[in-house]
Amino acid sequence: VSFPAPMTPLEQGVRAANFAGRVLPIILSYLRVYSVFTLRERLLGQCLDDEECEVAWEAEHEKGAPILSEAINDLKGFY
């Protein structure tokens, strides 16, 4: 097994920025769903039942999982 040469600080920064640029939208999407649920409950007194919540979260997982997987594969790992 041969390992690649250590990255320079600049390469590390570029890698981190690449990862953040791909993952941040996923995180923000999750926060948006959470915020909508929270605001709906606090302001309107409406709470989704467990099944409705599960459907919404599953939709977020379906959108975000392939993007995260591709980012990790492209960067050859998550470290």
Side-chain angles (χ1 to χ4, degrees):
V1 176
S2 69
F3 294 99
M7 286 193 240
T8 66
L10 178 60
E11 290 170 328
Q12 291 173 355
V14 169
R15 177 184 168 83
N18 181 336
F19 185 76
R22 293 162 110 183
V23 173
L24 190 59
I26 298 168
I27 294 168
L28 293 175
S29 180
Y30 277 100
L31 288 173
R32 179 189 55 79
V33 171
Y34 176 77
S35 296
V36 167
F37 287 168
T38 302
L39 287 173
R40 185 175 176 175
E41 184 177 347
R42 289 185 181 165
L43 297 178
L44 303 176
Q46 298 174 342
C47 187
L48 298 178
D49 65 27
D50 288 343
E51 187 175 325
E52 290 173 312
C53 286
E54 184 65 30
V55 168
W57 286 121
E58 188 61 33
E60 289 304 307
H61 297 325
E62 292 292 324
K63 288 188 322 191
I67 297 167
L68 181 59
S69 177
E70 182 180 343
I72 292 170
N73 288 329
D74 288 351
L75 296 171
K76 297 180 176 47
F78 181 67
Y79 56 92

